[in-house]
Amino acid sequence: MDRRQISALLVLKELGIAHGMRSFADRLAVQKSVYLAQASGIHLGYHFGWYLRGPYSPSLTQDVYTANENHDVFALTSKWKLDDSTVDKLAKLRPYLDPPPDGLTQPQWLELLASVHFLVDRGQVSGEPLADVVRGKLEKFGKDFTPAQIECGLDTLRKLALLPE
Amino acid sequence: MARRIVADAVHGAIKLNDGEWELIDTPSYQRLRQLKQLQMAHLTYPNATHTRFVHSLGVFAIMSRILEVAQDKLALEDRDVKDLRLAALLHDIGHYPYSHLMEKVDKVQLTEDIVSAAAGTPKEIDLTGGPAPYPKHEPLGRLIVTHREDVLRAIGGSERAERIADLFTRSEAADPQRSKLLHSSLDMDRFDFLLRDAKATGVPYGTVDLDYLLNNLRVSPSGMIGFSHKAIAAAEQFLFARFFMYKVVYFHKTTFGFEEACRHLLRRSRDAGLYNVPSSGEAIEEWVLGESFLNFTDAWVDDVVRQAADGKDDVLRALAETILYRRPPKLIREVRELKDLTASGSTGRCRSFLDRCEDRLEGLAEDLGVDPRLFLVTEPIAVTLESRGAKLTPESARDLQDEHEDELVKVFLPGDDEPTSLVDVPESITNVAANYAYQFARLYLVSQQPELVENARERVAEW
């Protein structure tokens, strides 16, 4: 019944992201999709810091685990729902969470989007061309996204109005 | 460089250089003297009145000791060392009045929302049009450090302020080595608050052999920090100390009842636009950047409580009077369980109890002639030994390597160059204990009528 836990589960459901968190890939997808939802103006209130796989919120992991332990998600949706404006906003975000057909899995794609956004939004990269600077930064953390993938990520974030044109 | 010395009850003499002294002497930093570290625990443990100020100095003291050991091994430059010392001093500068209590106002689930959710028509949650939630204290700390003139001047300008804020908010993506110390398994925050809180409350559970642990600190070739295997027992004891302090002190039923009452009071006052409780995250940020920031203290919350106690709203008045006159909310029922974190699919007792509360609380309130808003239902809280258990599948354990694994307590086993998480050491008791969570859910009633309370307890005992 913690409002934030319920909200997190409902947002994940709306985005089509599995909430079970049984595997690392699941957890990665949960973290990065909530990060992107917040960046898109969904007020969940999680603070993200930079970890080895990009933006991460320990509170979010704790909340989703606790919510999974204590709520039947299907029963939840009979008691709580997101209002229309929240649903609309998430509907605009959702299609962009599917990876482009270049071999990245959804968790990898989400990691790329969220990491790039974090680095730019928090002023951790500067200079031009942005794609090269971002790539250099991500390489330092052992992420080997290709230049084309990073360009695609930047382009997607611009389409979502999460980065300036 | 001249040294200033602060005499501390936990760490002894804490030495600061002139720049650090100038920083803690700023009005923005001195505000931390007006924030109690343990929120409302002083209503249960009368001596628990120590402040965020002294805790921040304590974390600084531990950081200083660690840097003496780790600087060369982590190839930290002098600039890094100075930044890390300041980051330790500043890590809590963004704390709210009564610390986490006010920060978590948005997590409060009002009783009327709980009972109406069970009634059939889904309740709507607005995550866009409504006010932004209150930010966490870390981003608020960043605002303070990078925008408040007195702090900026003491730090030496905005470029350095940004660098230091990046460290303690974990925005620092420039060099993971630098922020590793502040966010590593060393957990200097917890080292200090366990020792300090145990001393202040008078309980024995927070004892940590800090000297032995710090004397057995090692750094691996890859920069991972951990303890020598000789210190395994001390490391295990640290985890258990943490567990019992949470169980006995931080979640003490009486203290928690007061804090829950205060959270509900603040949340309801905010929703009703009363007593100048900031309406949104943006309002909090404006306050922090404005002229009356120095009033952002426990005394401000105390004033809200006093106003509510004199106010016209019966529920707010009842909540306020619990705090003002130390009349704790009555625990109607607490459900406890030890959950096996490796088992899945079973419905826990805490969850079942919450389901009963959803379905039956409104009826109970009606039968007892009580406003349902005077019932306070707490979401299950889990207390664990570590942030992950040991008995995961091999795949899951490998997968978790890349998340906040570096924040787990680590030990160097004989012959190993890189440390292992303590919970993964087969002969460690934590290897088993970390797979369990002590979980509880509570129902309180804000009432001073003994018969009413007993009646409620009898009814709820059957749920």
Side-chain angles (χ1 to χ4, degrees), chain B residues 39-40 42-43 98 101 254-266 298 301-306 308-309 315-329 376 446 448:
Chain B
Q39 305 179 163
M40 296 197 159
H42 64 287
L43 293 173
Y98 285 108
L101 188 156
T254 303
T255 304
F256 195 82
F258 282 121
E259 290 170 356
E260 197 68 351
C262 195
R263 272 187 285 270
H264 277 249
L265 170 65
L266 290 171
D298 292 357
V301 171
D302 295 341
D303 194 49
V304 171
V305 170
R306 267 189 290 275
V315 171
L316 291 180
R317 195 168 56 246
L319 291 169
E321 286 175 354
T322 64
I323 301 160
L324 200 55
Y325 304 122
R326 203 199 170 276
R327 296 174 188 160
L376 310 176
V446 177
Q448 301 305 315

mmCIF file of all heavy atoms in Angstrom, chain B residues 39-40 42-43 98 101 254-266 298 301-306 308-309 315-329 376 446 448:
data_model
loop_
_atom_site.group_PDB
_atom_site.id
_atom_site.type_symbol
_atom_site.label_atom_id
_atom_site.label_comp_id
_atom_site.label_asym_id
_atom_site.label_seq_id
_atom_site.Cartn_x
_atom_site.Cartn_y
_atom_site.Cartn_z
ATOM 1 N N GLN B 39 15.651 11.466 14.252
ATOM 2 C CA GLN B 39 14.257 11.859 14.084
ATOM 3 C C GLN B 39 13.564 11.957 15.435
ATOM 4 O O GLN B 39 13.929 12.808 16.234
ATOM 5 C CB GLN B 39 13.539 10.882 13.122
ATOM 6 C CG GLN B 39 14.249 10.777 11.789
ATOM 7 C CD GLN B 39 13.613 9.815 10.801
ATOM 8 O OE1 GLN B 39 13.896 9.884 9.640
ATOM 9 N NE2 GLN B 39 12.731 8.942 11.212
ATOM 10 N N MET B 40 12.594 11.118 15.698
ATOM 11 C CA MET B 40 11.837 11.240 16.946
ATOM 12 C C MET B 40 12.216 10.182 17.973
ATOM 13 O O MET B 40 11.455 9.938 18.916
ATOM 14 C CB MET B 40 10.347 11.198 16.632
ATOM 15 C CG MET B 40 9.938 12.379 15.793
ATOM 16 S SD MET B 40 8.185 12.677 15.787
ATOM 17 C CE MET B 40 8.168 14.389 15.296
ATOM 18 N N HIS B 42 14.189 10.377 20.312
ATOM 19 C CA HIS B 42 14.368 10.964 21.643
ATOM 20 C C HIS B 42 13.102 10.848 22.481
ATOM 21 O O HIS B 42 13.155 10.966 23.709
ATOM 22 C CB HIS B 42 14.783 12.434 21.539
ATOM 23 C CG HIS B 42 13.740 13.317 20.915
ATOM 24 N ND1 HIS B 42 13.462 13.295 19.566
ATOM 25 C CD2 HIS B 42 12.899 14.229 21.467
ATOM 26 C CE1 HIS B 42 12.497 14.157 19.305
ATOM 27 N NE2 HIS B 42 12.132 14.734 20.434
ATOM 28 N N LEU B 43 11.966 10.583 21.819
ATOM 29 C CA LEU B 43 10.723 10.393 22.572
ATOM 30 C C LEU B 43 10.690 9.009 23.222
ATOM 31 O O LEU B 43 9.849 8.743 24.085
ATOM 32 C CB LEU B 43 9.509 10.579 21.641
ATOM 33 C CG LEU B 43 9.328 12.004 21.110
ATOM 34 C CD1 LEU B 43 8.206 12.060 20.076
ATOM 35 C CD2 LEU B 43 9.042 12.974 22.253
ATOM 36 N N TYR B 98 13.877 16.745 10.719
ATOM 37 C CA TYR B 98 13.618 15.376 11.167
ATOM 38 C C TYR B 98 14.017 14.358 10.112
ATOM 39 O O TYR B 98 13.417 13.300 9.987
ATOM 40 C CB TYR B 98 12.157 15.186 11.628
ATOM 41 C CG TYR B 98 11.881 15.804 12.980
ATOM 42 C CD1 TYR B 98 11.126 16.960 13.106
ATOM 43 C CD2 TYR B 98 12.413 15.232 14.139
ATOM 44 C CE1 TYR B 98 10.913 17.544 14.346
ATOM 45 C CE2 TYR B 98 12.200 15.811 15.385
ATOM 46 C CZ TYR B 98 11.446 16.964 15.480
ATOM 47 O OH TYR B 98 11.234 17.530 16.714
ATOM 48 N N LEU B 101 12.122 11.548 7.908
ATOM 49 C CA LEU B 101 10.695 11.608 8.210
ATOM 50 C C LEU B 101 9.982 12.520 7.214
ATOM 51 O O LEU B 101 9.029 12.133 6.550
ATOM 52 C CB LEU B 101 10.522 12.110 9.652
ATOM 53 C CG LEU B 101 9.145 12.077 10.271
ATOM 54 C CD1 LEU B 101 9.272 12.029 11.777
ATOM 55 C CD2 LEU B 101 8.332 13.293 9.868
ATOM 56 N N THR B 254 7.363 2.281 19.386
ATOM 57 C CA THR B 254 6.849 3.562 19.899
ATOM 58 C C THR B 254 7.374 4.716 19.064
ATOM 59 O O THR B 254 6.615 5.601 18.657
ATOM 60 C CB THR B 254 7.258 3.730 21.372
ATOM 61 O OG1 THR B 254 6.771 2.612 22.120
ATOM 62 C CG2 THR B 254 6.690 5.021 21.952
ATOM 63 N N THR B 255 8.672 4.701 18.803
ATOM 64 C CA THR B 255 9.278 5.749 17.977
ATOM 65 C C THR B 255 8.612 5.789 16.611
ATOM 66 O O THR B 255 8.257 6.858 16.108
ATOM 67 C CB THR B 255 10.778 5.467 17.797
ATOM 68 O OG1 THR B 255 11.402 5.350 19.071
ATOM 69 C CG2 THR B 255 11.443 6.572 17.004
ATOM 70 N N PHE B 256 8.449 4.610 16.037
ATOM 71 C CA PHE B 256 7.878 4.525 14.694
ATOM 72 C C PHE B 256 6.453 5.053 14.680
ATOM 73 O O PHE B 256 6.015 5.694 13.722
ATOM 74 C CB PHE B 256 7.925 3.081 14.192
ATOM 75 C CG PHE B 256 7.708 2.960 12.716
ATOM 76 C CD1 PHE B 256 8.738 3.154 11.821
ATOM 77 C CD2 PHE B 256 6.450 2.660 12.214
ATOM 78 C CE1 PHE B 256 8.541 3.049 10.464
ATOM 79 C CE2 PHE B 256 6.234 2.554 10.844
ATOM 80 C CZ PHE B 256 7.286 2.760 9.973
ATOM 81 N N GLY B 257 5.715 4.790 15.746
ATOM 82 C CA GLY B 257 4.350 5.305 15.837
ATOM 83 C C GLY B 257 4.325 6.835 15.818
ATOM 84 O O GLY B 257 3.520 7.449 15.108
ATOM 85 N N PHE B 258 5.224 7.452 16.583
ATOM 86 C CA PHE B 258 5.302 8.923 16.575
ATOM 87 C C PHE B 258 5.656 9.443 15.179
ATOM 88 O O PHE B 258 5.084 10.416 14.694
ATOM 89 C CB PHE B 258 6.380 9.418 17.560
ATOM 90 C CG PHE B 258 5.953 9.410 18.998
ATOM 91 C CD1 PHE B 258 6.648 8.668 19.929
ATOM 92 C CD2 PHE B 258 4.864 10.165 19.423
ATOM 93 C CE1 PHE B 258 6.275 8.657 21.272
ATOM 94 C CE2 PHE B 258 4.476 10.157 20.758
ATOM 95 C CZ PHE B 258 5.180 9.401 21.685
ATOM 96 N N GLU B 259 6.626 8.798 14.559
ATOM 97 C CA GLU B 259 7.091 9.271 13.250
ATOM 98 C C GLU B 259 6.000 9.084 12.201
ATOM 99 O O GLU B 259 5.808 9.943 11.340
ATOM 100 C CB GLU B 259 8.376 8.536 12.860
ATOM 101 C CG GLU B 259 9.552 8.967 13.737
ATOM 102 C CD GLU B 259 10.795 8.125 13.569
ATOM 103 O OE1 GLU B 259 10.754 7.126 12.821
ATOM 104 O OE2 GLU B 259 11.813 8.460 14.195
ATOM 105 N N GLU B 260 5.266 7.991 12.305
ATOM 106 C CA GLU B 260 4.172 7.767 11.359
ATOM 107 C C GLU B 260 3.087 8.828 11.552
ATOM 108 O O GLU B 260 2.543 9.362 10.596
ATOM 109 C CB GLU B 260 3.626 6.349 11.549
ATOM 110 C CG GLU B 260 2.786 5.834 10.425
ATOM 111 C CD GLU B 260 3.541 5.573 9.117
ATOM 112 O OE1 GLU B 260 4.726 5.937 8.981
ATOM 113 O OE2 GLU B 260 2.908 5.042 8.210
ATOM 114 N N ALA B 261 2.790 9.137 12.807
ATOM 115 C CA ALA B 261 1.799 10.186 13.086
ATOM 116 C C ALA B 261 2.262 11.509 12.493
ATOM 117 O O ALA B 261 1.467 12.254 11.899
ATOM 118 C CB ALA B 261 1.574 10.325 14.592
ATOM 119 N N CYS B 262 3.541 11.797 12.630
ATOM 120 C CA CYS B 262 4.068 13.060 12.096
ATOM 121 C C CYS B 262 4.024 13.072 10.570
ATOM 122 O O CYS B 262 3.674 14.094 9.961
ATOM 123 C CB CYS B 262 5.499 13.264 12.603
ATOM 124 S SG CYS B 262 6.095 14.953 12.368
ATOM 125 N N ARG B 263 4.379 11.934 9.957
ATOM 126 C CA ARG B 263 4.319 11.868 8.484
ATOM 127 C C ARG B 263 2.896 12.133 7.993
ATOM 128 O O ARG B 263 2.669 12.847 7.027
ATOM 129 C CB ARG B 263 4.792 10.501 7.994
ATOM 130 C CG ARG B 263 6.291 10.387 7.765
ATOM 131 C CD ARG B 263 6.643 9.054 7.131
ATOM 132 N NE ARG B 263 6.583 7.964 8.086
ATOM 133 C CZ ARG B 263 7.620 7.558 8.830
ATOM 134 N NH1 ARG B 263 8.786 8.140 8.716
ATOM 135 N NH2 ARG B 263 7.493 6.559 9.675
ATOM 136 N N HIS B 264 1.913 11.504 8.685
ATOM 137 C CA HIS B 264 0.516 11.702 8.288
ATOM 138 C C HIS B 264 0.107 13.156 8.499
ATOM 139 O O HIS B 264 -0.615 13.744 7.685
ATOM 140 C CB HIS B 264 -0.403 10.764 9.085
ATOM 141 C CG HIS B 264 -0.483 9.379 8.520
ATOM 142 N ND1 HIS B 264 -1.627 8.877 7.926
ATOM 143 C CD2 HIS B 264 0.443 8.398 8.418
ATOM 144 C CE1 HIS B 264 -1.386 7.627 7.502
ATOM 145 N NE2 HIS B 264 -0.148 7.322 7.791
ATOM 146 N N LEU B 265 0.544 13.738 9.595
ATOM 147 C CA LEU B 265 0.221 15.136 9.883
ATOM 148 C C LEU B 265 0.762 16.050 8.788
ATOM 149 O O LEU B 265 0.049 16.929 8.274
ATOM 150 C CB LEU B 265 0.828 15.519 11.240
ATOM 151 C CG LEU B 265 0.803 16.986 11.633
ATOM 152 C CD1 LEU B 265 -0.616 17.469 11.804
ATOM 153 C CD2 LEU B 265 1.568 17.217 12.937
ATOM 154 N N LEU B 266 2.018 15.836 8.413
ATOM 155 C CA LEU B 266 2.640 16.682 7.382
ATOM 156 C C LEU B 266 1.956 16.475 6.029
ATOM 157 O O LEU B 266 1.700 17.428 5.292
ATOM 158 C CB LEU B 266 4.134 16.374 7.272
ATOM 159 C CG LEU B 266 4.990 16.830 8.453
ATOM 160 C CD1 LEU B 266 6.419 16.283 8.338
ATOM 161 C CD2 LEU B 266 5.027 18.356 8.536
ATOM 162 N N ASP B 298 14.276 21.160 12.419
ATOM 163 C CA ASP B 298 13.297 20.434 13.235
ATOM 164 C C ASP B 298 12.311 21.415 13.880
ATOM 165 O O ASP B 298 11.125 21.104 14.040
ATOM 166 C CB ASP B 298 13.999 19.658 14.352
ATOM 167 C CG ASP B 298 14.835 18.500 13.831
ATOM 168 O OD1 ASP B 298 14.828 18.256 12.603
ATOM 169 O OD2 ASP B 298 15.506 17.835 14.648
ATOM 170 N N VAL B 301 9.172 21.963 11.923
ATOM 171 C CA VAL B 301 8.177 20.900 12.071
ATOM 172 C C VAL B 301 7.497 21.007 13.437
ATOM 173 O O VAL B 301 6.277 20.864 13.545
ATOM 174 C CB VAL B 301 8.819 19.501 11.914
ATOM 175 C CG1 VAL B 301 7.843 18.390 12.281
ATOM 176 C CG2 VAL B 301 9.293 19.295 10.486
ATOM 177 N N ASP B 302 8.287 21.306 14.473
ATOM 178 C CA ASP B 302 7.696 21.454 15.809
ATOM 179 C C ASP B 302 6.626 22.543 15.781
ATOM 180 O O ASP B 302 5.580 22.431 16.446
ATOM 181 C CB ASP B 302 8.784 21.840 16.830
ATOM 182 C CG ASP B 302 9.814 20.742 17.029
ATOM 183 O OD1 ASP B 302 9.521 19.573 16.687
ATOM 184 O OD2 ASP B 302 10.922 21.050 17.520
ATOM 185 N N ASP B 303 6.885 23.597 15.016
ATOM 186 C CA ASP B 303 5.920 24.686 14.925
ATOM 187 C C ASP B 303 4.654 24.249 14.182
ATOM 188 O O ASP B 303 3.541 24.643 14.561
ATOM 189 C CB ASP B 303 6.569 25.876 14.215
ATOM 190 C CG ASP B 303 5.747 27.124 14.386
ATOM 191 O OD1 ASP B 303 5.368 27.434 15.543
ATOM 192 O OD2 ASP B 303 5.464 27.795 13.382
ATOM 193 N N VAL B 304 4.816 23.438 13.145
ATOM 194 C CA VAL B 304 3.641 22.895 12.440
ATOM 195 C C VAL B 304 2.801 22.077 13.411
ATOM 196 O O VAL B 304 1.568 22.187 13.446
ATOM 197 C CB VAL B 304 4.074 22.033 11.235
ATOM 198 C CG1 VAL B 304 2.893 21.281 10.638
ATOM 199 C CG2 VAL B 304 4.731 22.885 10.164
ATOM 200 N N VAL B 305 3.481 21.267 14.227
ATOM 201 C CA VAL B 305 2.773 20.420 15.200
ATOM 202 C C VAL B 305 1.990 21.298 16.186
ATOM 203 O O VAL B 305 0.815 21.037 16.484
ATOM 204 C CB VAL B 305 3.779 19.516 15.947
ATOM 205 C CG1 VAL B 305 3.124 18.804 17.121
ATOM 206 C CG2 VAL B 305 4.383 18.489 14.991
ATOM 207 N N ARG B 306 2.626 22.369 16.652
ATOM 208 C CA ARG B 306 1.949 23.253 17.630
ATOM 209 C C ARG B 306 0.724 23.917 16.997
ATOM 210 O O ARG B 306 -0.336 24.016 17.615
ATOM 211 C CB ARG B 306 2.921 24.331 18.111
ATOM 212 C CG ARG B 306 3.668 23.970 19.388
ATOM 213 C CD ARG B 306 4.430 25.168 19.922
ATOM 214 N NE ARG B 306 5.543 25.510 19.070
ATOM 215 C CZ ARG B 306 6.749 24.943 19.142
ATOM 216 N NH1 ARG B 306 6.997 24.000 20.035
ATOM 217 N NH2 ARG B 306 7.712 25.311 18.324
ATOM 218 N N ALA B 308 -1.036 22.797 14.487
ATOM 219 C CA ALA B 308 -2.070 21.787 14.245
ATOM 220 C C ALA B 308 -2.792 21.435 15.549
ATOM 221 O O ALA B 308 -4.006 21.198 15.549
ATOM 222 C CB ALA B 308 -1.450 20.540 13.617
ATOM 223 N N ALA B 309 -2.038 21.429 16.656
ATOM 224 C CA ALA B 309 -2.649 21.105 17.950
ATOM 225 C C ALA B 309 -3.657 22.177 18.352
ATOM 226 O O ALA B 309 -4.589 21.904 19.121
ATOM 227 C CB ALA B 309 -1.567 20.957 19.019
ATOM 228 N N VAL B 315 -8.650 15.548 13.117
ATOM 229 C CA VAL B 315 -7.644 14.516 12.870
ATOM 230 C C VAL B 315 -6.246 15.098 13.021
ATOM 231 O O VAL B 315 -5.378 14.526 13.677
ATOM 232 C CB VAL B 315 -7.835 13.882 11.474
ATOM 233 C CG1 VAL B 315 -6.666 12.978 11.119
ATOM 234 C CG2 VAL B 315 -9.137 13.093 11.438
ATOM 235 N N LEU B 316 -6.040 16.267 12.423
ATOM 236 C CA LEU B 316 -4.718 16.898 12.546
ATOM 237 C C LEU B 316 -4.406 17.212 14.007
ATOM 238 O O LEU B 316 -3.272 17.034 14.464
ATOM 239 C CB LEU B 316 -4.661 18.188 11.716
ATOM 240 C CG LEU B 316 -4.690 18.014 10.205
ATOM 241 C CD1 LEU B 316 -4.621 19.374 9.508
ATOM 242 C CD2 LEU B 316 -3.551 17.147 9.726
ATOM 243 N N ARG B 317 -5.435 17.656 14.729
ATOM 244 C CA ARG B 317 -5.212 17.983 16.144
ATOM 245 C C ARG B 317 -4.817 16.723 16.913
ATOM 246 O O ARG B 317 -3.904 16.724 17.734
ATOM 247 C CB ARG B 317 -6.460 18.629 16.736
ATOM 248 C CG ARG B 317 -6.201 19.327 18.085
ATOM 249 C CD ARG B 317 -7.343 20.214 18.551
ATOM 250 N NE ARG B 317 -8.581 19.476 18.618
ATOM 251 C CZ ARG B 317 -9.623 19.705 17.833
ATOM 252 N NH1 ARG B 317 -9.587 20.665 16.912
ATOM 253 N NH2 ARG B 317 -10.725 18.982 17.936
ATOM 254 N N ALA B 318 -5.516 15.622 16.648
ATOM 255 C CA ALA B 318 -5.211 14.369 17.346
ATOM 256 C C ALA B 318 -3.788 13.909 17.035
ATOM 257 O O ALA B 318 -3.044 13.487 17.926
ATOM 258 C CB ALA B 318 -6.214 13.285 16.946
ATOM 259 N N LEU B 319 -3.397 14.010 15.765
ATOM 260 C CA LEU B 319 -2.042 13.595 15.383
ATOM 261 C C LEU B 319 -1.011 14.492 16.058
ATOM 262 O O LEU B 319 0.026 14.028 16.534
ATOM 263 C CB LEU B 319 -1.881 13.675 13.858
ATOM 264 C CG LEU B 319 -2.670 12.651 13.040
ATOM 265 C CD1 LEU B 319 -2.642 13.001 11.556
ATOM 266 C CD2 LEU B 319 -2.137 11.241 13.243
ATOM 267 N N ALA B 320 -1.304 15.779 16.094
ATOM 268 C CA ALA B 320 -0.353 16.728 16.689
ATOM 269 C C ALA B 320 -0.203 16.489 18.184
ATOM 270 O O ALA B 320 0.907 16.546 18.732
ATOM 271 C CB ALA B 320 -0.813 18.151 16.424
ATOM 272 N N GLU B 321 -1.320 16.207 18.843
ATOM 273 C CA GLU B 321 -1.267 16.035 20.296
ATOM 274 C C GLU B 321 -0.483 14.789 20.701
ATOM 275 O O GLU B 321 0.129 14.750 21.767
ATOM 276 C CB GLU B 321 -2.680 16.007 20.874
ATOM 277 C CG GLU B 321 -3.316 17.397 20.897
ATOM 278 C CD GLU B 321 -4.765 17.390 21.363
ATOM 279 O OE1 GLU B 321 -5.323 16.284 21.561
ATOM 280 O OE2 GLU B 321 -5.324 18.489 21.517
ATOM 281 N N THR B 322 -0.474 13.778 19.832
ATOM 282 C CA THR B 322 0.337 12.592 20.174
ATOM 283 C C THR B 322 1.792 13.016 20.355
ATOM 284 O O THR B 322 2.484 12.537 21.262
ATOM 285 C CB THR B 322 0.306 11.507 19.079
ATOM 286 O OG1 THR B 322 0.897 11.997 17.887
ATOM 287 C CG2 THR B 322 -1.074 11.023 18.788
ATOM 288 N N ILE B 323 2.250 13.914 19.474
ATOM 289 C CA ILE B 323 3.665 14.300 19.484
ATOM 290 C C ILE B 323 3.922 15.345 20.572
ATOM 291 O O ILE B 323 4.855 15.230 21.363
ATOM 292 C CB ILE B 323 4.072 14.855 18.107
ATOM 293 C CG1 ILE B 323 3.842 13.787 17.030
ATOM 294 C CG2 ILE B 323 5.531 15.310 18.088
ATOM 295 C CD1 ILE B 323 3.748 14.322 15.618
ATOM 296 N N LEU B 324 3.045 16.346 20.616
ATOM 297 C CA LEU B 324 3.270 17.469 21.528
ATOM 298 C C LEU B 324 3.271 17.021 22.984
ATOM 299 O O LEU B 324 4.080 17.472 23.794
ATOM 300 C CB LEU B 324 2.166 18.498 21.292
ATOM 301 C CG LEU B 324 2.397 19.921 21.744
ATOM 302 C CD1 LEU B 324 3.663 20.479 21.140
ATOM 303 C CD2 LEU B 324 1.190 20.785 21.338
ATOM 304 N N TYR B 325 2.370 16.138 23.321
ATOM 305 C CA TYR B 325 2.221 15.740 24.725
ATOM 306 C C TYR B 325 2.751 14.334 24.983
ATOM 307 O O TYR B 325 2.483 13.748 26.023
ATOM 308 C CB TYR B 325 0.739 15.841 25.133
ATOM 309 C CG TYR B 325 0.161 17.205 24.903
ATOM 310 C CD1 TYR B 325 -0.956 17.382 24.084
ATOM 311 C CD2 TYR B 325 0.755 18.321 25.470
ATOM 312 C CE1 TYR B 325 -1.461 18.648 23.843
ATOM 313 C CE2 TYR B 325 0.250 19.592 25.230
ATOM 314 C CZ TYR B 325 -0.859 19.750 24.427
ATOM 315 O OH TYR B 325 -1.354 21.006 24.185
ATOM 316 N N ARG B 326 3.479 13.803 24.052
ATOM 317 C CA ARG B 326 4.042 12.450 24.119
ATOM 318 C C ARG B 326 2.981 11.424 24.513
ATOM 319 O O ARG B 326 3.071 10.753 25.553
ATOM 320 C CB ARG B 326 5.253 12.357 25.057
ATOM 321 C CG ARG B 326 6.131 11.149 24.674
ATOM 322 C CD ARG B 326 7.078 10.668 25.736
ATOM 323 N NE ARG B 326 7.669 9.400 25.336
ATOM 324 C CZ ARG B 326 7.111 8.191 25.501
ATOM 325 N NH1 ARG B 326 5.938 8.064 26.087
ATOM 326 N NH2 ARG B 326 7.728 7.097 25.101
ATOM 327 N N ARG B 327 1.989 11.329 23.638
ATOM 328 C CA ARG B 327 0.966 10.296 23.819
ATOM 329 C C ARG B 327 1.065 9.370 22.618
ATOM 330 O O ARG B 327 0.427 9.604 21.600
ATOM 331 C CB ARG B 327 -0.418 10.931 23.871
ATOM 332 C CG ARG B 327 -0.637 11.860 25.046
ATOM 333 C CD ARG B 327 -1.989 12.522 24.897
ATOM 334 N NE ARG B 327 -2.200 13.573 25.885
ATOM 335 C CZ ARG B 327 -3.096 14.534 25.758
ATOM 336 N NH1 ARG B 327 -3.858 14.587 24.682
ATOM 337 N NH2 ARG B 327 -3.238 15.439 26.693
ATOM 338 N N PRO B 328 1.889 8.332 22.718
ATOM 339 C CA PRO B 328 2.169 7.545 21.514
ATOM 340 C C PRO B 328 0.922 6.911 20.920
ATOM 341 O O PRO B 328 0.024 6.485 21.666
ATOM 342 C CB PRO B 328 3.133 6.454 21.995
ATOM 343 C CG PRO B 328 3.203 6.549 23.456
ATOM 344 C CD PRO B 328 2.582 7.822 23.896
ATOM 345 N N PRO B 329 0.841 6.850 19.593
ATOM 346 C CA PRO B 329 -0.212 6.057 18.949
ATOM 347 C C PRO B 329 -0.132 4.631 19.496
ATOM 348 O O PRO B 329 0.957 4.113 19.752
ATOM 349 C CB PRO B 329 0.151 6.093 17.471
ATOM 350 C CG PRO B 329 0.989 7.310 17.306
ATOM 351 C CD PRO B 329 1.715 7.469 18.593
ATOM 352 N N LEU B 376 -3.421 4.146 11.584
ATOM 353 C CA LEU B 376 -2.208 4.295 10.777
ATOM 354 C C LEU B 376 -1.716 2.893 10.414
ATOM 355 O O LEU B 376 -1.374 2.109 11.292
ATOM 356 C CB LEU B 376 -1.110 5.032 11.565
ATOM 357 C CG LEU B 376 -1.527 6.344 12.246
ATOM 358 C CD1 LEU B 376 -0.357 6.899 13.076
ATOM 359 C CD2 LEU B 376 -1.977 7.373 11.227
ATOM 360 N N VAL B 446 -4.587 6.183 16.795
ATOM 361 C CA VAL B 446 -4.311 7.414 17.537
ATOM 362 C C VAL B 446 -5.490 7.627 18.485
ATOM 363 O O VAL B 446 -6.547 8.135 18.095
ATOM 364 C CB VAL B 446 -4.156 8.611 16.563
ATOM 365 C CG1 VAL B 446 -3.946 9.909 17.334
ATOM 366 C CG2 VAL B 446 -2.988 8.370 15.619
ATOM 367 N N GLN B 448 -6.438 7.900 22.999
ATOM 368 C CA GLN B 448 -6.016 7.800 24.404
ATOM 369 C C GLN B 448 -7.107 7.161 25.243
ATOM 370 O O GLN B 448 -7.130 7.324 26.461
ATOM 371 C CB GLN B 448 -5.668 9.199 24.939
ATOM 372 C CG GLN B 448 -4.557 9.884 24.152
ATOM 373 C CD GLN B 448 -3.299 9.038 24.068
ATOM 374 O OE1 GLN B 448 -2.851 8.470 25.066
ATOM 375 N NE2 GLN B 448 -2.729 8.916 22.868
#
